[in-house]
Amino acid sequence: MALPAKKAHYTFADYLTWGEHERMELLDGEAVMMAPPSRIHQEILTELTRQLANFLEGKPCKVYPAPFGVRLFENDGDAPEDVNTVVEPDISVVCSHSKLDEYGCKGAPDLIIEILSPSTARHDRLVKLGQYQRAAVREYWIVSPAERTVQVFLLEGRSLLPHEVYGDTGVAKVNVLDGCFIELEKVFSE
């Protein structure tokens, strides 16, 4: 299904009417189209998801790869018409089952990972970082396939601050998951 007629302000109610194959996000009521990811992007996403899922087996936290809708600022009692921000992070880790519903996640996940592509790098580094900070995401990773790096931001007070930058070897610590480490050589295997 195509987008409805151009509107000045979209909501989650509009988002629910779009087809499953429409790759769109809503940022403060603005519809943002998303380009299809590259093969390398998908390989990195798959490996990160695999390692996180293996670690989380039998634990209360769950990992969700894209497409998975996250309504960052939705509150209990909000109607779909009241919600104007829906993002689809590459990977979301949610530790509170009460945030999950049939549409995805209501509120901030504990960990969000975005994998950069040439068309999204600026957006992920600036716009989404600001949105995730405003929503109080506890940990945010920006993975750069081109640079073969993982940049980790941690929530301190009300700010997501740079914490660590990892190269393509060794292990990266997942700070919000006690005892979880990601083997980067497997993530950047190509």
Side-chain angles (χ1 to χ4, degrees):
M1 174 182 268
L3 279 174
K6 177 73 175 151
K7 292 172 61 171
H9 186 85
Y10 292 100
T11 68
F12 184 50
D14 297 311
Y15 179 92
L16 291 173
T17 68
W18 300 336
E20 285 185 29
H21 300 291
E22 297 290 341
R23 299 271 341 260
M24 304 284 288
E25 291 183 320
L26 289 178
L27 297 174
D28 296 320
E30 181 182 342
V32 179
M33 298 225 26
M34 299 168 61
S38 70
R39 177 185 61 82
I40 297 300
H41 178 286
Q42 291 304 90
E43 286 182 8
I44 289 172
L45 179 136
T46 300
E47 180 58 27
L48 285 167
T49 301
R50 184 192 67 75
Q51 289 189 45
L52 287 165
N54 286 346
F55 176 81
L56 293 173
E57 188 174 349
K59 296 178 176 71
C61 299
K62 302 290 181 202
V63 60
Y64 297 94
F68 178 74
V70 175
R71 292 147 8 244
L72 289 170
F73 308 109
E74 183 174 335
N75 297 305
D76 286 335
D78 282 350
E81 297 78 21
D82 301 327
V83 178
N84 68 1
T85 298
V86 183
V87 293
E88 291 188 3
D90 288 314
I91 299 173
S92 302
V93 173
V94 182
C95 295
S96 174
H97 187 73
S98 65
K99 290 184 178 183
L100 299 172
D101 65 14
E102 64 181 301
Y103 302 111
C105 181
K106 178 175 61 174
D110 296 88
L111 168 66
I112 286 180
I113 300 174
E114 295 285 7
I115 303 164
L116 300 180
S117 62
S119 65
T120 68
R122 184 179 185 285
H123 186 72
D124 290 340
R125 289 185 190 276
L126 298 175
V127 176
K128 283 196 162 177
L129 174 65
Q131 292 282 328
Y132 298 154
Q133 178 172 277
R134 203 172 106 213
V137 172
R138 294 173 49 210
E139 185 166 353
Y140 176 43
W141 286 24
I142 298 176
V143 178
S144 173
E147 297 169 359
R148 298 173 66 92
T149 60
V150 174
Q151 185 176 14
V152 177
F153 295 83
L154 295 180
L155 189 66
E156 294 184 27
R158 300 182 78 189
S159 298
L160 274 169
L161 300 177
H163 177 72
E164 187 76 60
V165 177
Y166 296 98
D168 58 359
T169 60
V171 294
K173 179 181 180 184
V174 181
N175 297 275
V176 297
L177 300 173
D178 193 36
C180 183
F181 296 89
I182 300 297
E183 296 177 67
L184 294 173
E185 210 165 283
K186 292 180 179 177
V187 172
F188 297 109
S189 63
E190 191 164 303

